């Protein structure tokens, strides 16, 4: 009578060896996916987004199980091929993460491909993080080889599968997530495979469309020569009103009160701000990649343009696609630690004291969670509430910011607008922004303006709600474009309430030409 494989488990799978092999594989997978695991699971869970954290954990678990299967059951030749593919994709992810401190996505991968000619210079500049990333990768590969050495023979005896058919089946399973996850809109893909999906998407995609030309003719005689948009990160109206507004009293801004963001995530909000939204006609077929952007209007009115991003030190974010980026005279990646915003304020102060006409779009570092990462250690007692951490982060982020920005500036020819990309829902057990069912707090942002005295009197607040969508036509009016044209084409300028609230979801632009977008509208403040 022949023993069942299950009956001889202890002889074919010594428990000590099984545990050791599993631990080796787990460490290898954790090394390969350190940043994706942290951001997709730990950060989401820390932000109380347990649903998405759990789904991400399940996605990684399935992919890890398939890699574990391939490690044990593939023939030596196919195992080596698998290791090569894993090392290539994981290596690119790990090097990028070690240098930049962030995860790769489709947009950043596209940027990497365009900057491949700089690889030699980058290797010299970032020799230490490059060496660390390669060392981690080699350790992970060695651990996978060790896992196979410990468990392969027992695994084949226990399962009793071998041959060409089983090899092809295992290879098909290994490839399945790379093919199915993007098609099913599942995420995230593991670092050991995501580069192949990104490369396929990049090389098979249609090129992004060009922006439309500006047809309107501006007046050459305008008093405002400097226009700056300050777009903060994750600053709610309530926090602004309590923490930042008291610092502005001496600067006498126009405070438009609680305004509505056009998105509860950073990307849709910034895309909509830059593109301009025709609030009376926008619908699911609108393609904001094709609009005449703020850069085109500024250039036609004679303004040089600059974009400063205080959140990145690498490629542009928030769907700043090449056709749009090409319209910007100067783009600066400005991330430089917890005092990035103060450094940006001092840089802008120097710009404000020059005579040239200039439009600047500045994305501030702000206070994206984890909030404790935005003020020095020891600033709060251990175990402080999320609300306390958030308030402390905002206070530290904006300490001295507006004083440095406006120090010695002649405001007679300057217009500065301050807002945030989206609000924050600071409650225990909820996602603070970009949630699946957004609430009002995620859209609630400040909107203030520092205007020339002779212009400011026209913008004293009238009753009614304001929206991000009004910033675009207001700026066009200040640049010398006909106010009636700007208001009719986009939204009312900020002397009046918004004509219609508009807000976008994650799908702010179509995936392909002719596709649809995620947009909603109404007379009520978003999230209510």
């Amino acid at each position: 009578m022949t023993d069942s494989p299950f009956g001889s488990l202890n002889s074919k799978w010594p428990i000590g060896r099984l545990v050791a092999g599993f631990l080796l594989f787990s460490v290898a997978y954790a090394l390969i996916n350190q940043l994706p695991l942290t951001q997709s699971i730990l950060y989401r869970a820390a932000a109380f987004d347990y649903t998405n954290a759990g789904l991400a954990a399940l996605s990684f678990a399935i992919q890890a199980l398939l890699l574990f299967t391939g490690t044990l059951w593939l023939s030596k030749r196919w195992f080596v091929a698998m290791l090569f593919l894993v090392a290539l994709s994981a290596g690119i992810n790990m090097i990028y993460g070690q240098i930049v401190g962030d995860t790769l996505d489709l947009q950043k991968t596209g940027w990497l491909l365009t900057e491949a000619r700089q690889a030699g210079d980058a290797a010299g500049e970032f020799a230490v993080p490059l060496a660390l990333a390669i060392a981690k990768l080699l350790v992970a590969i060695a651990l996978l080889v060790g896992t196979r050495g410990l468990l392969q023979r027992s695994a084949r005896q226990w399962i009793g599968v071998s041959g060409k058919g089983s090899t092809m089946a295992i290879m098909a399973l290994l490839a399945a997530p790379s093919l199915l996850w993007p098609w099913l809109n599942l995420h995230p893909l593991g670092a050991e495979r995501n580069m192949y999906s990104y490369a396929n998407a990049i090389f098979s995609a249609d090129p992004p469309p060009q922006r439309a030309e500006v047809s309107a003719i501006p007046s050459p005689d305008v008093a405002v020569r400097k226009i700056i948009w300050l777009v903060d990160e994750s600053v709610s109206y309530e926090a602004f009103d309590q923490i930042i507004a008291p610092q502005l009293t001496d600067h006498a801004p126009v405070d438009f009160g609680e305004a509505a963001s056009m998105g509860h995530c950073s990307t849709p909000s910034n895309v909509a701000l830059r593109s301009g939204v025709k609030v009376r006609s926008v619908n699911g077929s609108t393609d904001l990649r094709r609009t005449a952007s703020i850069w085109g209007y500024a250039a036609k009115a004679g303004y040089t343009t600059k974009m400063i991003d205080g959140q990145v030190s690498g490629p542009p974010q928030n769907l700043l696609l090449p056709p749009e980026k090409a319209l910007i005279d100067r783009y600066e990646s400005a991330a430089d630690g917890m005092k990035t915003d103060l450094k940006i304020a001092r840089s802008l102060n120097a710009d404000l004291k020059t005579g040239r006409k200039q439009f600047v779009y500045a994305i501030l570092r702000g206070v994206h969670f984890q909030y404790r990462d935005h003020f020095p250690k020891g600033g709060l007692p251990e175990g402080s509430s999320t609300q306390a951490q958030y308030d402390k982060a905002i206070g530290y982020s904006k300490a001295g910011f507006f004083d440095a920005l406006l120090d010695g500036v002649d405001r007679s020819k300057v217009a500065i607008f301050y807002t945030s990309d989206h609000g924050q829902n600071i409650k225990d057990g909820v996602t603070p922004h970009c949630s699946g069912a957004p609430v009002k707090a995620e859209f609630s942002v400040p909107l203030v303006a520092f205007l020339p005295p002779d212009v400011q009197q026209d913008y004293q607040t009238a009753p009614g709600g304001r929206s991000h969508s009004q910033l675009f036509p207001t700026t066009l009016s200040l640049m010398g474009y006909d106010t009636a044209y700007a208001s009719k084409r986009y939204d009312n300028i900020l002397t009046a309430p918004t004509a219609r609230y508009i807000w976008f979801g994650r799908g702010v632009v179509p995936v392909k030409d002719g596709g649809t977008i995620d947009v909603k509208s109404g007379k009520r403040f978003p999230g209510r």
Side-chain angles (χ1 to χ4, degrees):
M1 187 172 181
T2 304
D3 288 337
S4 157
F6 294 93
S8 56
L9 178 60
N10 287 337
S11 63
K12 294 181 179 179
W13 285 85
I15 297 301
R17 181 175 292 186
L18 178 62
V19 171
F22 181 76
L23 287 176
L24 289 182
F25 179 84
S26 298
V27 173
Y29 200 77
L31 279 174
I32 289 171
N33 286 285
Q34 180 183 357
L35 277 174
L37 287 167
T38 300
Q39 295 195 11
S40 299
I41 300 176
L42 296 183
Y43 279 9
R44 299 314 302 181
F48 308 109
D49 188 0
Y50 299 119
T51 299
N52 284 321
L55 290 173
L58 178 61
S59 174
F60 278 118
I62 293 171
Q63 294 172 78
L65 178 61
L66 294 175
L67 183 62
F68 186 70
T69 302
T71 299
L72 298 191
W73 278 287
L74 286 176
S75 66
K76 182 178 180 179
R77 182 180 63 177
W78 285 106
F79 173 68
V80 170
M82 183 193 79
L83 278 187
F84 174 79
L85 294 173
V86 166
L88 181 60
S89 180
I92 295 172
N93 279 266
M94 294 170 77
I95 291 169
Y96 181 86
Q98 193 71 46
I99 293 174
V100 180
D102 197 5
T103 56
L104 272 173
D105 57 21
L106 180 59
Q107 182 183 355
K108 294 168 189 171
T109 302
W111 173 83
L112 279 179
L113 290 174
T114 64
E115 296 296 322
R117 66 189 184 279
Q118 303 294 337
D121 294 338
E125 180 70 20
F126 302 106
V128 173
L130 177 63
L132 285 173
I134 293 174
K136 288 182 180 179
L137 177 64
L138 292 175
V139 169
I141 295 301
L143 291 173
L144 291 177
V145 173
T147 301
R148 179 179 172 89
L150 281 171
L151 301 180
Q152 187 206 23
R153 180 175 297 179
S154 297
R156 286 187 170 233
Q157 290 176 355
W158 187 49
I159 298 298
V161 295
S162 61
K164 185 176 180 180
S166 62
T167 296
M168 293 299 102
I170 293 169
M171 294 298 290
L173 286 172
L174 276 171
S178 300
L179 301 172
L180 293 177
W181 265 229
W183 182 57
L184 297 173
N185 199 27
L186 300 175
H187 62 88
L189 280 171
E192 73 278 2
R193 66 171 68 245
N194 60 16
M195 289 304 304
Y196 307 110
S197 293
Y198 296 157
N200 178 65
I202 290 168
F203 291 121
S204 63
D206 295 329
Q210 296 296 317
R211 290 279 180 166
E213 297 288 337
V214 174
S215 58
I217 306 297
S219 169
D221 301 320
V222 292
V224 179
R225 299 187 63 81
K226 302 285 186 181
I227 302 176
I228 297 177
W229 289 5
L230 301 170
V231 182
D232 218 330
E233 170 64 51
S234 299
V235 175
S236 68
Y237 172 73
E238 181 180 8
F240 165 83
D241 191 49
Q242 295 176 1
I243 301 169
I244 301 176
Q247 305 175 25
L248 305 184
T249 304
D250 293 342
H251 300 299
V254 178
D255 188 346
F256 295 101
E258 181 182 37
S261 168
M262 286 190 284
H264 69 304
C265 304
S266 297
T267 295
S269 176
N270 279 279
V271 169
L273 279 168
R274 301 191 313 258
S275 302
V277 178
K278 302 175 182 180
V279 300
R280 299 171 184 86
S281 60
V282 63
N283 56 53
S285 62
T286 298
D287 190 346
L288 294 181
R289 300 174 302 168
R290 299 178 179 276
T291 64
S293 70
I294 191 63
W295 317 110
Y297 278 105
K300 190 160 187 177
Y303 291 79
T304 62
T305 56
K306 181 164 74 171
M307 184 172 189
I308 303 172
D309 194 331
Q311 298 176 15
V312 298
S313 55
Q317 59 171 341
N318 299 321
L319 282 177
L320 184 63
L321 301 174
E324 181 182 357
K325 186 172 181 288
L327 300 175
I328 306 172
D329 294 322
R330 184 176 178 184
Y331 172 85
E332 295 181 4
S333 298
D336 193 18
M338 286 187 284
K339 280 299 181 181
T340 292
D341 288 350
L342 187 58
K343 294 173 184 177
I344 290 175
R346 290 169 177 159
S347 173
L348 290 174
N349 178 265
D351 282 341
L352 288 169
K353 293 176 180 177
T354 65
R356 65 182 182 276
K357 292 172 70 175
Q358 187 180 32
F359 170 78
V360 182
Y361 188 121
I363 300 176
L364 304 182
R365 183 178 192 265
V367 294
H368 198 283
F369 59 78
Q370 305 291 315
Y371 308 125
R372 62 176 176 269
D373 295 336
H374 296 275
F375 56 86
K377 290 182 178 180
L380 284 177
E382 289 292 330
S384 295
S385 67
T386 303
Q387 183 69 62
Q389 293 180 45
Y390 179 63
D391 293 346
K392 181 72 174 180
I394 288 180
Y396 188 83
S397 168
K398 292 296 157 302
F401 176 86
F402 290 97
D403 290 341
L405 175 71
L406 298 169
D407 181 38
V409 171
D410 177 6
R411 288 174 53 184
S412 64
K413 297 181 179 180
V414 170
I416 301 172
F417 296 90
Y418 171 80
T419 187
S420 180
D421 55 355
H422 50 72
Q424 288 290 90
N425 185 21
I426 307 297
K427 293 181 180 178
D428 291 337
V430 302
T431 306
H433 71 266
C434 213
S435 69
V439 298
K440 179 188 174 186
E442 296 177 65
F443 297 96
S444 176
V445 295
L447 181 55
V448 299
F450 303 87
L451 301 170
D454 58 336
V455 174
Q456 185 153 318
Q457 61 185 356
D458 296 330
Y459 283 83
Q460 298 303 322
T461 54
R466 300 311 201 272
S467 167
H468 267 179
S469 55
Q470 297 178 266
L471 187 53
F472 196 98
T474 300
T475 300
L476 299 194
S477 177
L478 294 173
M479 286 178 173
Y481 292 94
D482 182 65
T483 299
Y485 161 84
S487 298
K488 183 177 180 181
R489 185 173 181 84
Y490 294 102
D491 195 356
N492 298 330
I493 68 170
L494 284 166
T495 54
T498 182
R500 185 184 182 207
Y501 288 112
I502 298 292
W503 61 100
F504 297 88
R506 294 179 181 86
V508 64
V509 298
V511 175
K512 58 179 67 176
D513 289 344
T516 59
I517 65 169
D518 182 7
V519 61
K520 296 181 177 63
S521 63
K523 295 182 178 180
R524 293 166 59 88
F525 198 100
R528 284 183 170 174

